[in-house]
Amino acid sequence: MIPGPVEVSPAVLAAAAGPPPGHTSPRLIEAFGRSLELLREAVQADASSQPFLLAGSGTLAMEIAAANLLEPGEGALVVSTGYFSDRMAEILRRYGAQVVQVAAPVGAAPAAEEVRDALARQGPFKALFATHVDTSTGVRVDPEPLCRVAREAGVLSVFDGVCATAGERFFLEDWGADVYFTASQKALGLPPGLALLVASQRALTTRTLRQAPPPPLFLDWDSWLPIHRAYEERRPSYFATPATSLVMALEVGLDELLADGIDARVERHARAASGMRAAWKALGLRQVPRSEAETGNTLSVLLYPDGVDAALLPKVAARGVVIAGGLHPAIRTTSFRVGHMGYAVTRPDYLRRTVEAVAEALRELGVSVDREGAVAALEGVVRG
Ligand code: PMP
């Protein structure tokens, strides 16, 4: 129950465990092509958008967005809500961008008006970057108003959905967003190893109009576009070897999560999150995000109660549940994190065992908690 990599479903596990197909095998071509189509559905993108699917982790997807959209010297505004927004800023700086960060105190997201002011006063900017859910703070931004202020200012909008895709709503087409990138190992419910990205026509045109030397070969959309188009047309193609076993798993995973539509999957995450929050409250635990609206569905970032520290984690693990410590430097030693995304949200028994394990571990550390009350609070929201 760490915030990724997560448990995967039996069907995903079986698909990943099959004999690895070659990159031109009909099975692989079909899985690749269909995965691209399903990815559009997961972020509600129209047919003119281009999904990309590469071997790599979420950080590779961040690099790809920076490398293709920014030329040295151009401005990038980063909406900072935690450790991963800071990483985005660092990546952008390494590509030569002039980076301005608009931050809020730990646990909060900057208001869209503040971002609009910064876009107007501190530019010129080429693009705005925001982390949909930052895994170090649990803070969720509201992408829609950010897309709006970006469009009004004539800048591209780019979202890090690594800890959000399939767990939070995103409407790439309706909101006029330009890039949504993610990775396989979180709410998508797959093993780690795939960097995924959906780019709008406007984003693709930005790469076409680039004046500076091209991005590194592996990161360049121009290297990958013919291959992705070929796979979508169900033709064999090659630029660099895809992670074929993971692509086989991706098709199965996306089929599972879209079986009842993306809305149903997001709703399932929202319900799991709400149940877990009710349980934490019943245990007297405080969360890092300062409001419900700023709290992501995919994980809980919680403060240790008085007298408790990271000694909690092995005591939870001894009960068969693995949770994670703090990550953001300001709350690294005072917070811990529990993922509730992907396959886990289809397993009320996982959620219950997690609440029980945390409650029992707290008790062992001398905190008086109501384990049964917490389980009842969870089950009042999430039923088996
Ligand atoms: N962005 C967010 C919001 C993340 O949670 C992570 C990983 N935890 C990353 C980016 C980087 O992804 P990866 O570790 O797969 O490189």
Side-chain angles (χ1 to χ4, degrees), residues 196-215:
L196 309 157
L197 190 143
V198 182
S200 71
Q201 261 310 319
R202 203 158 54 139
L204 297 175
T205 305
T206 302
R207 164 67 191 94
T208 311
L209 298 177
R210 186 181 178 90
Q211 305 279 311

Side-chain angles (χ1 to χ4, degrees), residues 69-322:
L69 297 178
L70 272 296
E71 301 189 28
E74 289 181 333
L77 187 146
V78 175
V79 178
S80 280
T81 50
Y83 178 92
F84 290 102
S85 320
D86 291 345
R87 173 174 295 186
M88 193 69 241
E90 174 59 16
I91 288 172
L92 287 160
R93 278 192 286 270
R94 291 195 183 196
Y95 287 95
Q98 298 293 320
V99 177
V100 171
Q101 285 181 265
V102 177
V106 173
E113 299 72 53
E114 205 183 321
V115 175
R116 181 176 35 211
D117 285 353
L119 284 171
R121 299 217 183 107
Q122 298 181 57
F125 292 106
K126 179 82 163 290
L128 170 159
F129 290 78
T131 315
H132 197 170
V133 174
D134 197 293
T135 326
S136 69
T137 54
V139 169
R140 167 175 69 196
V141 300
D142 183 356
E144 186 178 13
L146 293 176
C147 291
R148 195 175 336 114
V149 297
R151 272 203 323 279
E152 283 165 12
V155 310
L156 299 163
S157 56
V158 181
F159 292 86
D160 173 344
V162 173
C163 196
T165 318
E168 302 285 353
R169 262 163 254 288
F170 197 82
F171 298 88
L172 190 117
E173 181 186 9
D174 287 358
W175 293 347
D178 292 294
V179 173
Y180 197 76
F181 65 77
T182 189
S184 48
Q185 75 273 19
K186 295 191 196 264
L188 285 177
L190 290 144
L194 292 176
L196 309 157
L197 190 143
V198 182
S200 71
Q201 261 310 319
R202 203 158 54 139
L204 297 175
T205 305
T206 302
R207 164 67 191 94
T208 311
L209 298 177
R210 186 181 178 90
Q211 305 279 311
L217 192 70
F218 189 84
L219 307 188
D220 191 352
W221 284 341
D222 279 3
S223 305
W224 290 104
L225 267 171
I227 281 73
H228 282 69
R229 287 186 178 139
Y231 277 136
E232 209 164 345
E233 291 161 12
R234 309 300 194 264
R235 289 186 284 112
S237 194
Y238 170 73
F239 162 62
T241 307
T244 57
S245 294
L246 292 175
V247 176
M248 298 310 292
L250 179 64
E251 186 197 12
V252 171
L254 288 174
D255 261 338
E256 265 186 356
L257 78 85
L258 293 170
D260 299 318
I262 186 66
D263 284 349
R265 187 63 165 202
V266 171
E267 186 47 39
R268 201 144 194 184
H269 279 87
R271 209 168 333 119
S274 151
M276 293 304 265
R277 281 202 296 275
W280 304 140
K281 204 166 158 212
L283 292 176
L285 293 169
R286 285 188 301 128
Q287 65 163 27
V288 169
R290 71 176 174 185
S291 70
E292 288 264 323
E294 288 161 303
T295 308
N297 288 334
T298 48
L299 80 163
S300 296
V301 182
L302 301 161
L303 295 170
Y304 291 120
D306 285 345
V308 174
D309 58 17
L312 179 73
L313 307 184
K315 297 209 180 302
V316 175
R319 290 165 169 87
V321 177
V322 184

Side-chain angles (χ1 to χ4, degrees), residues 340-359:
H340 27 82
M341 57 180 130
Y343 179 57
V345 301
T346 71
R347 294 289 302 259
D349 55 326
Y350 283 19
L351 303 178
R352 188 185 62 240
R353 276 185 62 194
T354 304
V355 168
E356 286 169 349
V358 170

